[in-house]
Amino acid sequence: MDTTKTKITLAGGCFWGVEELFRKEPGVLKTEVGYSGGQTNNPTYETVKTGETGHAEAIEVTVDLSETSYEEIFRFFFSIHDPTTLNRQGNDRGSQYRSAIFYRNEEEKQAAQKVIAEIKDQNRWKGEIVTEIVPFDAFYSAEDFHQDYLQKHPGGYTCHFQRYKP
């Protein structure tokens, strides 16, 4: 088994835009959109959009850590969404659009905390960073319709763009 390949699960608002930006990053091998962070098993878009499942729209990024690092992934993550808006990105509102990092190990958790401290020190964002750093529990793949959505529908809705160079 190749120990340089790992999965990182992030939530930063509508998963379409997050996925589209991550797919182009160095070291990213695969992206998949889905749901994470809630208490409902096997959620669907229809249940998650109610805000009652506890899940966030999330992206699972498979990366090669010989080509990138947790820190580089997190720096990019914070540059493409607003981590100061609680349960909101762009026009999307609700806990399913919260900002979160679902860490799988202590190294990933510490990298997330380090990057948050860096962006605070650099005054990248004016408000308080509300991104949750929480243990990973499960990732449920979203419906096929949502996978690679902006590839299938160029010009589709997204509120994500790179706000600064990390």
Side-chain angles (χ1 to χ4, degrees), residues 41-55:
N41 290 329
N42 302 309
T44 64
Y45 179 75
E46 291 302 315
T47 60
V48 171
K49 76 178 185 178
T50 68
E52 296 176 11
T53 66
H55 286 289

Side-chain angles (χ1 to χ4, degrees), residues 87-101:
N87 298 331
R88 180 172 58 100
Q89 289 295 311
N91 295 328
D92 299 319
R93 290 173 173 27
S95 63
Q96 65 272 33
Y97 299 111
R98 69 187 179 271
S99 176
I101 295 171

Side-chain angles (χ1 to χ4, degrees), residues 1-39:
M1 184 173 144
D2 186 349
T3 58
T4 64
K5 292 187 175 88
T6 193
K7 292 180 179 181
I8 299 172
T9 304
L10 307 163
C14 178
F15 45 31
W16 297 340
V18 177
E19 178 185 42
E20 187 61 21
L21 293 171
F22 261 105
R23 76 171 60 256
K24 303 169 191 163
E25 280 302 285
V28 171
L29 305 172
K30 180 183 175 198
T31 60
E32 184 173 1
V33 298
Y35 315 105
S36 198
Q39 66 276 358

Side-chain angles (χ1 to χ4, degrees), residues 106-165:
E106 193 62 26
E107 178 186 4
E108 188 177 1
K109 178 183 178 184
Q110 288 178 4
Q113 292 169 332
K114 174 185 174 185
V115 171
I116 287 175
E118 281 177 12
I119 63 175
K120 283 181 180 179
D121 288 346
Q122 296 166 353
N123 292 315
R124 291 286 188 187
W125 296 98
K126 300 296 180 210
E128 181 71 24
I129 293 174
V130 296
T131 303
E132 299 174 357
I133 301 175
V134 292
F136 175 82
D137 180 41
F139 177 82
Y140 299 94
S141 183
E143 299 77 2
D144 286 343
F145 172 79
H146 295 291
Q147 304 299 330
D148 305 312
Y149 184 85
L150 292 175
Q151 292 286 302
K152 298 175 204 170
H153 305 279
Y157 171 76
T158 183
C159 64
H160 294 88
F161 58 93
Q162 193 162 11
R163 287 144 170 95
Y164 61 85
K165 285 283 188 196

Side-chain angles (χ1 to χ4, degrees), residues 68-79:
T68 189
S69 67
Y70 288 123
E71 288 88 352
E72 288 174 287
I73 293 296
F74 297 146
R75 286 181 190 115
F76 182 72
F77 172 65
F78 284 111
S79 78

